[in-house]
Amino acid sequence: QLHLQESGPGLVKPSETLSLTCAVSGGAVSSSSYYWNWVRQSPGKGLEWLGSVYSSGDTYYNPSFKSRLTLSIDTSNNQVSLDLNSVTAADTAVYFCASAPWVWLLYYFDSWGQGLLVTVSS
Amino acid sequence: QSPLTQPASVSGSPGQSITISCTGTGSDVGAYNYVSWYRHHPGEAPELIIHDVTKRPSGISDRFSGSKSGNTASLTISGLEAEDEADYHCCSYAGGSSFVFGTGTKVTVL
């Protein structure tokens, strides 16, 4: 059973870069059994898929964030990272990392972190 | 990608059944049988309760069931219990390794 834990600054200034990490335990981020995802929830809204990163290095991004978002895997620390640049107040949200089974024709998120509230404000 | 449409809130008394709808388009819900549902108690990690429209992960109560017709998927909770009070989110595969979530539904147990 995977355990995921998000960490990072709770406050980021407008125009700066939001950087978060997701520590994974119970499995290796380099495994070919899973791929890794970031999802966020803005205040009063539903969940929003940001993107996915595979241990192969492949990444897939929500088109709405593609120009500002970078997802990566750090195998030495067994964690997944998110960088979102040029943030505005609209990026204030709870950010979740989630795993998904890397299996042909399986499309769901089976383990989630508790989430981290990030506020964008000067 | 536009979010899938869910009712903002649904309520029911203990023991009753409720159904939450999730309406998308022919490019997501209507195109794939890859709708999943998540239960989320705020402050906790969301939990997968249904995948592939109708399938329940191990350990999930059979009080939860899913279905789909055309561009609309549905989650039914039967025998409503106090612990079911939470936010519920649907999600659909949208092709090209992308996903789209719903607007979320707050379930209240009266």
Side-chain angles (χ1 to χ4, degrees), chain A residues 40-68:
Chain A
R40 78 179 189 181
Q41 184 173 29
S42 301
K45 295 191 176 180
L47 298 175
E48 183 174 31
W49 174 76
L50 299 178
S52 305
V53 59
Y54 291 71
S55 58
S56 61
D58 290 338
T59 52
Y60 297 89
Y61 298 121
N62 182 323
S64 298
F65 300 94
K66 190 170 185 177
S67 64
R68 300 194 293 133

Side-chain angles (χ1 to χ4, degrees), chain B residues 5-29:
Chain B
T5 301
Q6 298 180 232
S9 62
V10 174
S11 61
S13 299
Q16 287 187 329
S17 294
I18 61 170
T19 297
I20 303 168
S21 61
C22 170
T23 301
T25 69
S27 297
D28 37 62
V29 175

